[in-house]
mmCIF file of all heavy atoms in Angstrom:
data_model
loop_
_atom_site.group_PDB
_atom_site.id
_atom_site.type_symbol
_atom_site.label_atom_id
_atom_site.label_comp_id
_atom_site.label_asym_id
_atom_site.label_seq_id
_atom_site.Cartn_x
_atom_site.Cartn_y
_atom_site.Cartn_z
ATOM 1 N N SER A 115 156.518 111.117 -60.980
ATOM 2 C CA SER A 115 155.070 111.126 -61.261
ATOM 3 C C SER A 115 154.825 111.950 -62.501
ATOM 4 O O SER A 115 155.656 112.749 -62.974
ATOM 5 C CB SER A 115 154.280 111.675 -60.103
ATOM 6 O OG SER A 115 154.350 110.820 -58.955
ATOM 7 N N ASP A 116 153.541 111.886 -62.980
ATOM 8 C CA ASP A 116 153.162 112.700 -64.117
ATOM 9 C C ASP A 116 153.293 114.196 -63.846
ATOM 10 O O ASP A 116 152.978 114.610 -62.715
ATOM 11 C CB ASP A 116 151.714 112.414 -64.469
ATOM 12 C CG ASP A 116 151.464 111.018 -65.051
ATOM 13 O OD1 ASP A 116 152.431 110.493 -65.606
ATOM 14 O OD2 ASP A 116 150.348 110.506 -64.873
ATOM 15 N N GLN A 117 153.798 114.977 -64.767
ATOM 16 C CA GLN A 117 153.907 116.405 -64.606
ATOM 17 C C GLN A 117 152.543 117.073 -64.802
ATOM 18 O O GLN A 117 151.830 116.685 -65.721
ATOM 19 C CB GLN A 117 154.927 116.956 -65.615
ATOM 20 C CG GLN A 117 156.413 116.737 -65.237
ATOM 21 C CD GLN A 117 156.754 117.461 -63.962
ATOM 22 O OE1 GLN A 117 156.589 118.714 -63.845
ATOM 23 N NE2 GLN A 117 157.250 116.753 -62.952
ATOM 24 N N PRO A 118 152.159 117.945 -63.862
ATOM 25 C CA PRO A 118 150.895 118.636 -64.054
ATOM 26 C C PRO A 118 150.975 119.617 -65.256
ATOM 27 O O PRO A 118 151.882 120.392 -65.352
ATOM 28 C CB PRO A 118 150.754 119.416 -62.756
ATOM 29 C CG PRO A 118 152.104 119.569 -62.230
ATOM 30 C CD PRO A 118 152.915 118.385 -62.704
ATOM 31 N N GLU A 119 149.944 119.573 -66.146
ATOM 32 C CA GLU A 119 149.988 120.273 -67.371
ATOM 33 C C GLU A 119 149.062 121.517 -67.370
ATOM 34 O O GLU A 119 149.086 122.331 -68.299
ATOM 35 C CB GLU A 119 149.568 119.394 -68.552
ATOM 36 C CG GLU A 119 150.477 118.176 -68.715
ATOM 37 C CD GLU A 119 151.930 118.538 -69.124
ATOM 38 O OE1 GLU A 119 152.148 119.619 -69.604
ATOM 39 O OE2 GLU A 119 152.775 117.687 -68.876
ATOM 40 N N GLY A 120 148.255 121.722 -66.284
ATOM 41 C CA GLY A 120 147.233 122.707 -66.399
ATOM 42 C C GLY A 120 147.379 123.889 -65.496
ATOM 43 O O GLY A 120 146.436 124.659 -65.287
ATOM 44 N N TRP A 121 148.658 124.161 -64.996
ATOM 45 C CA TRP A 121 148.814 125.310 -64.092
ATOM 46 C C TRP A 121 148.570 126.668 -64.740
ATOM 47 O O TRP A 121 148.403 127.649 -64.039
ATOM 48 C CB TRP A 121 150.198 125.243 -63.450
ATOM 49 C CG TRP A 121 150.213 124.323 -62.251
ATOM 50 C CD1 TRP A 121 150.660 123.093 -62.159
ATOM 51 C CD2 TRP A 121 149.687 124.611 -60.957
ATOM 52 N NE1 TRP A 121 150.566 122.549 -60.934
ATOM 53 C CE2 TRP A 121 149.881 123.443 -60.113
ATOM 54 C CE3 TRP A 121 148.982 125.687 -60.382
ATOM 55 C CZ2 TRP A 121 149.505 123.408 -58.790
ATOM 56 C CZ3 TRP A 121 148.561 125.658 -59.028
ATOM 57 C CH2 TRP A 121 148.828 124.504 -58.335
ATOM 58 N N ASP A 122 148.630 126.715 -66.074
ATOM 59 C CA ASP A 122 148.282 127.987 -66.739
ATOM 60 C C ASP A 122 146.799 128.417 -66.470
ATOM 61 O O ASP A 122 146.437 129.520 -66.675
ATOM 62 C CB ASP A 122 148.474 127.912 -68.255
ATOM 63 C CG ASP A 122 149.978 127.905 -68.618
ATOM 64 O OD1 ASP A 122 150.805 128.269 -67.696
ATOM 65 O OD2 ASP A 122 150.300 127.555 -69.706
ATOM 66 N N GLN A 123 146.016 127.454 -65.998
ATOM 67 C CA GLN A 123 144.579 127.632 -65.759
ATOM 68 C C GLN A 123 144.297 127.933 -64.266
ATOM 69 O O GLN A 123 143.159 128.009 -63.866
ATOM 70 C CB GLN A 123 143.737 126.424 -66.180
ATOM 71 C CG GLN A 123 144.041 125.921 -67.547
ATOM 72 C CD GLN A 123 143.726 126.934 -68.665
ATOM 73 O OE1 GLN A 123 142.716 127.639 -68.588
ATOM 74 N NE2 GLN A 123 144.571 127.014 -69.677
ATOM 75 N N GLN A 124 145.411 128.099 -63.492
ATOM 76 C CA GLN A 124 145.187 128.266 -62.045
ATOM 77 C C GLN A 124 144.498 129.582 -61.685
ATOM 78 O O GLN A 124 144.372 130.529 -62.492
ATOM 79 C CB GLN A 124 146.515 128.180 -61.274
ATOM 80 C CG GLN A 124 147.470 129.353 -61.491
ATOM 81 C CD GLN A 124 148.649 129.262 -60.595
ATOM 82 O OE1 GLN A 124 148.583 129.190 -59.414
ATOM 83 N NE2 GLN A 124 149.840 129.282 -61.269
ATOM 84 N N LEU A 125 144.057 129.770 -60.446
ATOM 85 C CA LEU A 125 143.464 130.973 -59.948
ATOM 86 C C LEU A 125 144.426 132.129 -60.095
ATOM 87 O O LEU A 125 145.581 131.959 -60.096
ATOM 88 C CB LEU A 125 143.015 130.853 -58.503
ATOM 89 C CG LEU A 125 142.049 129.726 -58.132
ATOM 90 C CD1 LEU A 125 141.622 129.840 -56.676
ATOM 91 C CD2 LEU A 125 140.847 129.656 -59.021
ATOM 92 N N ASP A 126 143.885 133.331 -60.244
ATOM 93 C CA ASP A 126 144.687 134.526 -60.333
ATOM 94 C C ASP A 126 145.314 134.902 -58.953
ATOM 95 O O ASP A 126 144.826 134.441 -57.904
ATOM 96 C CB ASP A 126 143.870 135.717 -60.837
ATOM 97 C CG ASP A 126 143.294 135.487 -62.194
ATOM 98 O OD1 ASP A 126 143.959 134.737 -63.012
ATOM 99 O OD2 ASP A 126 142.133 136.037 -62.492
ATOM 100 N N ASN A 127 146.360 135.708 -58.959
ATOM 101 C CA ASN A 127 146.901 136.186 -57.755
ATOM 102 C C ASN A 127 145.849 136.994 -56.944
ATOM 103 O O ASN A 127 145.199 137.854 -57.486
ATOM 104 C CB ASN A 127 148.105 137.103 -57.996
ATOM 105 C CG ASN A 127 149.362 136.327 -58.441
ATOM 106 O OD1 ASN A 127 149.573 135.217 -57.973
ATOM 107 N ND2 ASN A 127 150.093 136.909 -59.327
ATOM 108 N N GLU A 128 145.795 136.714 -55.695
ATOM 109 C CA GLU A 128 144.810 137.403 -54.779
ATOM 110 C C GLU A 128 145.251 137.279 -53.350
ATOM 111 O O GLU A 128 145.536 136.189 -52.869
ATOM 112 C CB GLU A 128 143.387 136.846 -55.000
ATOM 113 C CG GLU A 128 142.325 137.517 -54.162
ATOM 114 C CD GLU A 128 140.945 136.892 -54.333
ATOM 115 O OE1 GLU A 128 140.616 136.456 -55.476
ATOM 116 O OE2 GLU A 128 140.183 136.874 -53.355
ATOM 117 N N LEU A 129 145.239 138.397 -52.688
ATOM 118 C CA LEU A 129 145.455 138.368 -51.221
ATOM 119 C C LEU A 129 144.193 137.820 -50.566
ATOM 120 O O LEU A 129 143.076 138.292 -50.918
ATOM 121 C CB LEU A 129 145.806 139.752 -50.684
ATOM 122 C CG LEU A 129 147.102 140.378 -51.213
ATOM 123 C CD1 LEU A 129 147.181 141.851 -50.699
ATOM 124 C CD2 LEU A 129 148.300 139.588 -50.802
ATOM 125 N N VAL A 130 144.324 136.945 -49.610
ATOM 126 C CA VAL A 130 143.167 136.341 -48.986
ATOM 127 C C VAL A 130 143.300 136.352 -47.482
ATOM 128 O O VAL A 130 144.361 136.500 -46.950
ATOM 129 C CB VAL A 130 143.036 134.834 -49.505
ATOM 130 C CG1 VAL A 130 142.659 134.862 -50.987
ATOM 131 C CG2 VAL A 130 144.245 134.040 -49.223
ATOM 132 N N PHE A 131 142.142 136.134 -46.798
ATOM 133 C CA PHE A 131 142.131 136.159 -45.312
ATOM 134 C C PHE A 131 140.978 135.288 -44.810
ATOM 135 O O PHE A 131 140.085 134.902 -45.550
ATOM 136 C CB PHE A 131 141.957 137.585 -44.800
ATOM 137 C CG PHE A 131 140.552 138.128 -44.987
ATOM 138 C CD1 PHE A 131 139.629 138.029 -44.028
ATOM 139 C CD2 PHE A 131 140.159 138.712 -46.199
ATOM 140 C CE1 PHE A 131 138.337 138.495 -44.157
ATOM 141 C CE2 PHE A 131 138.865 139.154 -46.399
ATOM 142 C CZ PHE A 131 137.931 139.077 -45.369
ATOM 143 N N GLN A 132 141.070 134.973 -43.517
ATOM 144 C CA GLN A 132 140.025 134.219 -42.837
ATOM 145 C C GLN A 132 140.094 134.537 -41.341
ATOM 146 O O GLN A 132 141.218 134.449 -40.763
ATOM 147 C CB GLN A 132 140.120 132.792 -43.121
ATOM 148 C CG GLN A 132 138.989 131.962 -42.464
ATOM 149 C CD GLN A 132 139.053 130.475 -42.897
ATOM 150 O OE1 GLN A 132 138.687 130.145 -43.983
ATOM 151 N NE2 GLN A 132 139.618 129.674 -42.000
ATOM 152 N N PHE A 133 138.983 134.826 -40.698
ATOM 153 C CA PHE A 133 138.860 134.930 -39.255
ATOM 154 C C PHE A 133 137.992 133.728 -38.754
ATOM 155 O O PHE A 133 137.032 133.383 -39.383
ATOM 156 C CB PHE A 133 138.164 136.203 -38.826
ATOM 157 C CG PHE A 133 138.938 137.489 -39.203
ATOM 158 C CD1 PHE A 133 138.405 138.352 -40.157
ATOM 159 C CD2 PHE A 133 140.131 137.777 -38.608
ATOM 160 C CE1 PHE A 133 139.122 139.477 -40.525
ATOM 161 C CE2 PHE A 133 140.869 138.877 -38.911
ATOM 162 C CZ PHE A 133 140.347 139.784 -39.867
ATOM 163 N N SER A 134 138.454 133.207 -37.588
ATOM 164 C CA SER A 134 137.670 132.014 -37.002
ATOM 165 C C SER A 134 137.496 132.247 -35.550
ATOM 166 O O SER A 134 138.338 132.772 -34.859
ATOM 167 C CB SER A 134 138.423 130.740 -37.243
ATOM 168 O OG SER A 134 138.647 130.501 -38.627
ATOM 169 N N ARG A 135 136.295 131.839 -35.111
ATOM 170 C CA ARG A 135 135.950 131.846 -33.648
ATOM 171 C C ARG A 135 135.262 130.546 -33.308
ATOM 172 O O ARG A 135 134.275 130.178 -33.908
ATOM 173 C CB ARG A 135 135.035 133.039 -33.373
ATOM 174 C CG ARG A 135 134.584 133.113 -31.940
ATOM 175 C CD ARG A 135 135.728 133.406 -30.944
ATOM 176 N NE ARG A 135 135.210 133.756 -29.638
ATOM 177 C CZ ARG A 135 135.076 132.818 -28.660
ATOM 178 N NH1 ARG A 135 135.296 131.555 -28.868
ATOM 179 N NH2 ARG A 135 134.647 133.260 -27.477
ATOM 180 N N GLY A 136 135.885 129.822 -32.366
ATOM 181 C CA GLY A 136 135.333 128.487 -32.036
ATOM 182 C C GLY A 136 135.307 128.266 -30.566
ATOM 183 O O GLY A 136 135.885 128.992 -29.758
ATOM 184 N N ARG A 137 134.576 127.283 -30.194
ATOM 185 C CA ARG A 137 134.450 126.824 -28.756
ATOM 186 C C ARG A 137 134.277 125.332 -28.652
ATOM 187 O O ARG A 137 133.704 124.680 -29.521
ATOM 188 C CB ARG A 137 133.252 127.454 -28.056
ATOM 189 C CG ARG A 137 132.979 126.947 -26.628
ATOM 190 C CD ARG A 137 131.957 127.794 -25.911
ATOM 191 N NE ARG A 137 132.537 129.055 -25.433
ATOM 192 C CZ ARG A 137 131.985 129.871 -24.541
ATOM 193 N NH1 ARG A 137 130.719 129.600 -24.065
ATOM 194 N NH2 ARG A 137 132.560 131.013 -24.174
ATOM 195 N N ALA A 138 134.959 124.736 -27.650
ATOM 196 C CA ALA A 138 134.840 123.250 -27.397
ATOM 197 C C ALA A 138 134.363 123.077 -25.968
ATOM 198 O O ALA A 138 134.708 123.861 -25.010
ATOM 199 C CB ALA A 138 136.194 122.629 -27.598
#
């Protein structure tokens, strides 16, 4: 497939997190 050319524009390094609370 085509090689991606724009990865120099990707998001910066960052530690990330997410908490979730659900009910069914």
Side-chain angles (χ1 to χ4, degrees):
S115 294
D116 292 334
Q117 282 293 305
E119 301 294 340
W121 276 103
D122 287 344
Q123 311 296 322
Q124 71 174 303
L125 302 187
D126 298 330
N127 287 323
E128 182 180 324
L129 297 174
V130 293
F131 73 95
Q132 180 175 282
F133 297 113
S134 301
R135 176 67 169 91
R137 172 170 283 192

